[in-house]
């Protein structure tokens, strides 16, 4: 039996990623977004995932606006944009799909496609997609909530 144990563990290696506790999920289409309460906004410290969620379905949803944030855990600009993201989520959660991609962690195929299509090497990176999937906003750097809110309001019309 001891000789079979390494084989059995090898068979289940990929399942460890699937069965992570919800607070450790790092790439998801999200419900119940929450900001990591340990974030240090004054430094590039590694504070873990910036945003956590209770749900983890993959990628954008067709037929509705999508807000996508791609960030690095140790970037103070990403931390501030994460705070704005959670505030926007509170306002639009029933009408807009929020996708969170932690670039420091393993991503699903759907999130990897988003990274490949939109990410340009700088963080934070925000993308707003209209109902038809067209990019209404696609840029790196911090974005004021008011600007994103105006884009989301337009996408919802």
């Amino acid at each position: 039996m001891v000789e079979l144990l390494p084989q059995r563990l090898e068979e289940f290696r990929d399942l460890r990623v699937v069965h992570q506790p919800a607070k450790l999920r790092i790439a998801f289409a999200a419900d119940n977004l929450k900001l990591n309460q340990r974030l240090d906004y004054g430094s590039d410290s590694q504070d873990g995932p910036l945003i956590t969620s209770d749900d983890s379905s993959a990628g954008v949803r067709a037929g509705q606006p999508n807000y996508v944030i791609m960030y690095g855990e140790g970037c103070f600009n990403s931390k501030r944009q994460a705070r704005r993201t959670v505030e926007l989520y509170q306002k639009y959660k029933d009408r807009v799909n929020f996708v969170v991609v932690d670039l420091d962690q393993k991503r699903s195929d759907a999130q990897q496609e988003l990274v490949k299509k939109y990410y340009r090497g700088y963080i934070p990176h925000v993308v707003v997609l209209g109902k038809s999937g067209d990019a209404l906003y696609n840029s790196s750097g911090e974005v004021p909530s008011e600007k994103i809110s105006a884009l989301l309001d337009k996408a919802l019309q």
Side-chain angles (χ1 to χ4, degrees):
M1 183 157 170
V2 173
E3 292 177 283
L4 295 177
L5 185 59
Q7 273 185 309
R8 299 222 15 107
L9 287 176
E10 193 69 23
E11 291 173 25
F12 294 103
R13 179 189 331 203
D14 293 334
L15 292 178
R16 282 183 267 172
V17 173
V18 173
H19 295 290
Q20 295 179 32
K23 69 178 189 172
L24 295 178
R25 293 178 179 151
I26 27 60
F28 45 82
D31 290 321
N32 198 20
L33 290 185
K34 295 179 184 171
L35 196 61
N36 178 345
Q37 296 300 309
R38 298 173 298 174
L39 297 182
D40 177 359
Y41 294 100
S43 77
D44 284 338
S45 59
Q46 287 286 343
D47 300 325
L50 308 184
I51 301 172
T52 60
S53 172
D54 290 342
D55 188 22
S56 66
S57 57
V60 299
R61 291 185 188 143
Q64 76 178 99
N66 287 269
Y67 170 96
V68 180
I69 181 172
M70 300 174 209
Y71 68 76
E73 293 176 2
C75 169
F76 64 85
N77 299 91
S78 290
K79 293 174 187 180
R80 290 192 297 262
Q81 193 64 44
R83 181 171 45 201
R84 290 182 196 102
T85 297
V86 172
E87 290 168 359
L88 288 164
Y89 169 78
Q90 293 302 321
K91 182 176 179 180
Y92 293 99
K93 62 185 170 185
D94 296 326
R95 301 173 290 155
V96 173
N97 182 51
F98 284 74
V99 180
V100 178
V101 181
D102 184 334
L103 296 169
D104 292 323
Q105 302 294 330
K106 183 177 179 178
R107 295 171 292 281
S108 70
D109 290 343
Q111 279 93 20
Q112 190 57 39
E113 284 300 313
L114 288 170
V115 169
K116 185 177 178 180
K117 185 171 183 177
Y118 297 108
Y119 181 60
R120 301 293 176 251
Y122 300 99
I123 53 175
H125 193 91
V126 174
V127 181
V128 175
L129 302 172
K131 291 178 184 178
S132 63
D134 54 319
L136 305 176
Y137 184 87
N138 178 22
S139 189
S140 298
E142 293 186 53
V143 189
S145 296
E146 297 79 20
K147 183 172 187 169
I148 297 298
S149 191
L151 288 166
L152 293 174
D153 288 341
K154 181 180 177 181
L156 286 164
Q157 293 178 351

